[in-house]
Amino acid sequence: MPKLKTWQLTAGSAVAGLALAAGAVAVAGPWDSGQRKAERDLSAAQDRTGGAHHATPGPDPAEPAPAPSARGVLSALGAPAAPAARPNHLKEVLTPLMEKAALGAFRTASVVDAATGKQLYGRGQRDAMTPASTVKIATTVAALSALGPDHRIATTVLAAPDNKRITLKGGGDPTLAKAGLRALAADTARALRDKGAGKVSLTYDTTLYSGPEVHPIGAGNENIARVTPLMVEEGRTDGTRSGIGDRSPDPAADAARAFAGELRALGVQVTGVPSAGKAPEGAQPVARTLSAPLSALVERTLTNSDNDLAEALARQTALAAGKEASFAGAGKAVRERLAGLDLPADGLLSGAHFADGSGLDRNDRVSAGLLTALLARSADPDHPELRSVLTGLPVAGFSGTLQSRYAGSAPGTGLVRAKTGTLTGINTLAGTVVTEDGRLLAFAFLASGTPAPDPAQKALDAMASALAGAH
């Protein structure tokens, strides 16, 4: 029996698991100039969560359980590899679909066997194009490779040696919830009482990040908050949990004011208004809260197309590499980390540029070949640390940004798992699909100059569905 190089998946196991995806995470993502209107309406009409739970705060926090996330729709099968899809057959199937006018002036494609990395279909697969949100595949692969799936992001409170000043230090966790901040305040109040502290002043430290806080798309954009290492619930002010939403003009200051309020409610005398500043020399940690494991954060990033979290993960990658946690530093760190993955073909990073971690920046450039290589590497049993890249992909017809794009009778429903990408004139789709004979394929389709979003999305979905029928 040949050694399995990846999960061998069957259509039967996929169908049996479809119901598991029905309660998955809400639709979200970088809507641009009114695009993804159907998904936006669905997001507004439904209240689903895909967030992260935080650790019990304190110097020695208990290990929290990972956040609930969409369970895998496709089950592993310990069986010999199914026959590979025939390249000539894929060419016959995909070429006419690639010619659809809905895909605009420029379109590229790559399909590889996830078990072997063998190229089964390619069209301009090495041409770097604007990927929109499919760049999150690169961002999350880089973060997992740099930090590992068990990494957690800490938010810490430090006390000065005289216990008269405390500092709330942001570690880069945009998923910090109000409940987590409240628990952090409780641990801080307890520590201050144990130290016999009286009145305290509060500062907040955002110096972990450098460079511009405002994404190049501009301030006040509902797709993303200011990029700062300290915020509560992604700086959202309108009760939304994902997708577009009103954002605070100063998430870090808001978080500090909320923290001060929690401390006062617990009887701590906090003087004045919190101000920005670093902890004084000799300050020691007295409490902390941790994010969910990185594997859960990656799933949330991909299922929800979470822009704030994607930017945070890119900066965590930069910090792990000893680079400045800025748009520029994160882009360099992501590229370097991907270069170290020993991808199967030389030159896949040629022309690649990571202007941000979320895909909102039109200056991002990746190729379809790079995306399929990263997906195949994520399926490689020699890289189990990358597995959440696959498990986090939205499921066609059931979760995330693919929930409303596949009808129940569509051939790809439940079999296609893919990251969507949408900007004005840009439509992309990259992920995995199970063929009729149980082969797992990785694919990426990038289109630029598309005249309208809905027809382009339908054309991309039709190509992914066609792969599900490959044999």
Side-chain angles (χ1 to χ4, degrees):
M1 179 181 295
K3 178 183 177 182
L4 298 183
K5 286 298 292 175
T6 188
W7 302 340
Q8 300 304 324
L9 308 169
T10 65
S13 65
V15 173
L18 290 180
L20 301 179
V25 190
V27 172
W31 292 281
D32 186 359
S33 300
Q35 292 202 26
R36 291 192 190 172
K37 183 177 186 300
E39 292 178 354
R40 175 177 177 177
D41 292 342
L42 182 60
S43 179
Q46 296 180 345
D47 182 19
R48 290 189 173 91
T49 60
H53 295 310
H54 292 265
T56 301
D60 297 301
E63 291 294 304
S69 56
R71 292 177 60 185
V73 169
L74 306 175
S75 302
L77 176 65
R86 292 181 288 112
N88 288 342
H89 174 66
L90 290 184
K91 184 176 181 180
E92 294 169 1
V93 170
L94 291 179
T95 297
L97 296 175
M98 287 284 292
E99 297 302 326
K100 297 290 185 181
L103 294 177
F106 304 98
R107 68 289 302 266
T108 63
S110 174
V111 181
V112 303
D113 185 307
T116 64
K118 179 182 177 181
Q119 187 85 45
L120 301 178
Y121 178 83
R123 174 168 172 171
Q125 65 267 29
R126 290 176 177 267
D127 296 342
M129 294 181 63
T130 302
S133 272
T134 55
V135 83
K136 291 183 175 76
I137 293 172
T139 301
T140 52
V141 167
L144 287 166
S145 176
L147 297 159
D150 299 325
H151 176 74
R152 300 171 188 260
I153 305 171
T155 304
T156 309
V157 178
L158 303 97
D162 62 4
N163 298 314
K164 293 182 178 180
R165 176 178 167 187
I166 57 173
T167 303
L168 178 63
K169 182 175 178 61
D173 176 18
T175 69
L176 176 62
K178 292 177 181 178
L181 192 72
R182 187 174 303 117
L184 183 64
D187 273 11
T188 301
R190 187 179 306 113
L192 292 175
R193 283 196 298 270
D194 290 345
K195 291 173 175 291
K199 295 179 180 180
V200 295
S201 62
L202 173 63
T203 57
Y204 58 96
D205 185 352
T206 61
T207 59
L208 187 66
Y209 289 0
S210 58
E213 288 187 354
V214 177
H215 190 280
I217 60 174
N221 192 288
E222 294 179 318
N223 291 298
I224 189 169
R226 297 179 74 95
V227 184
T228 172
L230 178 63
M231 63 174 68
V232 175
E233 296 176 353
E234 300 183 341
R236 295 174 181 273
T237 60
D238 58 0
T240 56
R241 303 294 294 272
S242 62
I244 64 170
D246 294 336
R247 309 303 183 99
S248 165
D250 194 344
D254 283 353
R257 285 190 288 267
F259 184 65
E262 296 291 350
L263 289 173
R264 291 184 178 115
L266 293 166
V268 178
Q269 298 182 63
V270 181
T271 62
V273 178
S275 59
K278 297 183 69 173
E281 185 176 352
Q284 295 295 318
V286 295
R288 67 170 179 169
T289 184
L290 299 177
S291 73
L294 183 58
S295 57
L297 299 182
V298 163
E299 288 187 336
R300 172 172 170 169
T301 299
L302 295 171
T303 302
N304 277 10
S305 197
D306 193 312
N307 299 313
D308 301 280
L309 192 45
E311 297 299 345
L313 297 187
R315 280 157 180 73
Q316 292 293 311
T317 305
L319 293 168
K323 298 184 182 299
E324 67 174 22
S326 63
F327 285 106
K332 292 176 183 177
V334 167
R335 183 187 175 91
E336 289 179 8
R337 177 55 60 171
L338 298 183
L341 283 178
D342 190 26
L343 297 176
D346 293 333
L348 286 177
L349 280 166
S350 177
H353 178 64
F354 303 98
D356 68 0
S358 61
L360 289 171
D361 196 319
R362 292 173 176 274
N363 291 316
D364 287 323
R365 294 290 185 274
V366 302
S367 67
L370 175 59
L371 291 175
T372 53
L374 295 176
L375 291 164
R377 180 64 80 234
S378 299
D380 189 336
D382 291 336
H383 287 274
E385 74 280 4
L386 303 180
R387 192 68 71 238
S388 55
V389 172
L390 298 186
T391 58
L393 294 172
V395 181
F398 285 89
S399 67
T401 51
L402 286 184
Q403 183 177 37
S404 63
R405 279 175 53 164
Y406 280 75
S409 59
T413 300
L415 300 176
V416 173
R417 301 191 69 147
K419 182 70 199 74
T420 58
T422 306
L423 296 170
T424 300
I426 304 291
N427 293 92
T428 60
L429 190 69
T432 63
V433 63
V434 182
T435 66
E436 287 183 346
D437 54 13
R439 173 67 58 176
L440 182 67
L441 306 182
F443 67 88
F445 306 130
L446 309 180
S448 176
T450 55
D454 289 344
Q457 290 172 353
K458 290 177 180 177
L460 295 173
D461 294 346
M463 287 192 289
S465 292
L467 292 178
H471 54 80

